[in-house]
Amino acid sequence: LGILAGINYYFRLQTKKYNKLLKQTVSKRTAALEQANYELRTFSYIASHDIKEPIRNIGNYAGFIFRKLPNDLKNSLGEYFDTIKGSTTQLYTLIEDFARYTTLSKDESIGKEAVDLNSLIDSVEKGMYESIQKGGGQVINHGLPIIQSSSSLLYTTLKNLIENGLKYNQSNKPIVEISYNKTEIHHEIIVSDNGIGIDKQYHVRIFEMFKRLHNRGEYEGSGIGLAIVKLSVDKLDGMVKLESKEGQGSRFIIQLPLDKPIE
């Protein structure tokens, strides 16, 4: 009995020692993570407020200079000015998307409200009117309900999915369709397109930050859009699934917890 008591005492001491060490390690890593998040948000703030304005000025003054050029120089230098415009637009979009992602990364509770999905889609379409018209695209709404969720997060999610469906598309008439399904435990918002599709091996990778399957010469974009979609849906305690084959369009299924829908 004396030996067993001694062994038991030894193991209690070791357990206490390792628990203390574990707490210290967790505390250090938590502090490091908080510092990293602080630095990331600080950079995001600087990028949003101090970098965007010079980029906007570069693009605006380049356009102003181009309009002042005589026609012969416009013809010979037009390609260079197009590159400046495209590059400043790309950088501005990247900073905006990065700032949005950083904001969403904050550990804050999400308030829910009655969200009319039909009105939400209409708002997205109005905000994208020029790009939809320019690309000859179409957004089809198959009649959506009112659900309890976050209007801002769903707007961000649907806007990114609709933009992607129209952008990564080689059809004569790009189409994105939004429909709804209710299961026993989920609201399902389905966003389908007739675009270029995504090979199965990339179905997980595309939701990571800055993961692009095409170079910017083929399709513009920041490489953050689908990461924002995943983060937004995660914050709503939901999940996003992808069904797609290369050359056969894509189908994104947003599954959200089934609170009581408002009729």
Side-chain angles (χ1 to χ4, degrees):
L1 291 176
I3 295 175
L4 290 175
I7 293 174
N8 187 41
Y9 178 72
Y10 172 79
F11 278 113
R12 285 205 308 270
L13 285 179
Q14 291 301 311
T15 301
K16 186 176 181 180
K17 175 182 176 182
Y18 286 122
N19 282 340
K20 183 179 180 180
L21 180 61
L22 179 61
K23 287 180 181 179
Q24 291 174 343
T25 302
V26 170
S27 179
K28 288 180 180 179
R29 291 184 177 178
T30 300
L33 181 60
E34 289 175 350
Q35 179 63 26
N37 284 335
Y38 171 78
E39 292 172 357
L40 182 63
R41 289 167 188 167
T42 300
F43 173 77
S44 175
Y45 179 86
I46 293 172
S48 297
H49 295 81
D50 298 331
I51 299 178
K52 283 167 62 176
E53 186 63 27
I55 293 171
R56 188 188 297 114
N57 287 338
I58 292 170
N60 288 341
Y61 277 104
F64 176 77
I65 293 170
F66 181 74
R67 290 191 295 272
K68 292 290 185 178
L69 293 176
N71 289 333
D72 59 332
L73 288 180
K74 284 183 178 179
N75 293 332
S76 61
L77 300 177
E79 182 179 347
Y80 301 110
F81 279 90
D82 286 342
T83 300
I84 294 173
K85 180 180 178 181
S87 297
T88 53
T89 299
Q90 176 66 35
L91 186 55
Y92 191 89
T93 301
L94 176 61
I95 291 172
E96 282 196 318
D97 286 350
F98 179 76
R100 177 61 176 163
Y101 185 90
T102 306
T103 300
L104 288 173
S105 297
K106 293 180 181 178
D107 187 17
E108 297 176 349
S109 60
I110 302 299
K112 293 188 177 182
E113 59 193 322
V115 180
D116 185 335
L117 295 176
N118 291 313
S119 297
L120 200 66
I121 297 299
D122 288 342
S123 296
V124 172
E125 284 192 75
K126 288 177 182 177
M128 297 175 56
Y129 178 80
E130 288 188 11
S131 61
I132 292 174
Q133 294 299 310
K134 182 179 179 180
Q138 183 180 8
V139 178
I140 300 174
N141 179 356
H142 286 286
L144 308 173
I146 298 173
I147 66 173
Q148 288 289 330
S149 192
S150 165
S151 178
S152 60
L153 289 180
L154 283 182
Y155 181 92
T156 298
T157 298
L158 293 171
K159 179 176 181 292
N160 277 287
L161 291 178
I162 291 171
E163 281 182 338
N164 275 10
L166 296 174
K167 177 170 62 178
Y168 296 101
N169 202 309
Q170 296 178 347
S171 302
N172 292 329
K173 188 174 183 63
I175 296 175
V176 174
E177 301 185 51
I178 303 97
S179 57
Y180 172 84
N181 179 52
K182 184 172 72 173
T183 71
E184 292 183 356
I185 57 174
H186 290 127
H187 296 294
E188 289 189 341
I189 305 171
I190 301 106
V191 181
S192 307
D193 64 63
N194 62 342
I196 60 176
I198 302 167
D199 190 278
K200 189 173 182 178
Q201 65 178 309
Y202 301 117
H203 283 195
V204 175
R205 177 185 172 191
I206 60 167
F207 290 105
E208 300 173 8
M209 279 190 70
F210 303 118
K211 297 298 183 182
R212 298 175 55 90
L213 305 185
H214 309 276
N215 63 51
R216 290 191 174 91
E218 295 177 285
Y219 300 98
E220 295 181 354
S222 65
I224 306 179
L226 289 179
I228 290 176
V229 167
K230 185 178 185 306
L231 183 57
S232 297
V233 176
D234 285 348
K235 291 183 78 69
L236 292 172
D237 298 321
M239 62 187 302
V240 57
K241 297 182 177 180
L242 170 60
E243 297 175 357
S244 181
K245 292 183 179 180
E246 190 171 3
Q248 298 182 27
S250 299
R251 189 170 183 261
F252 290 89
I253 303 169
I254 303 163
Q255 293 184 328
L256 303 175
L258 188 60
D259 297 321
K260 290 183 179 180
I262 299 175
E263 303 296 340

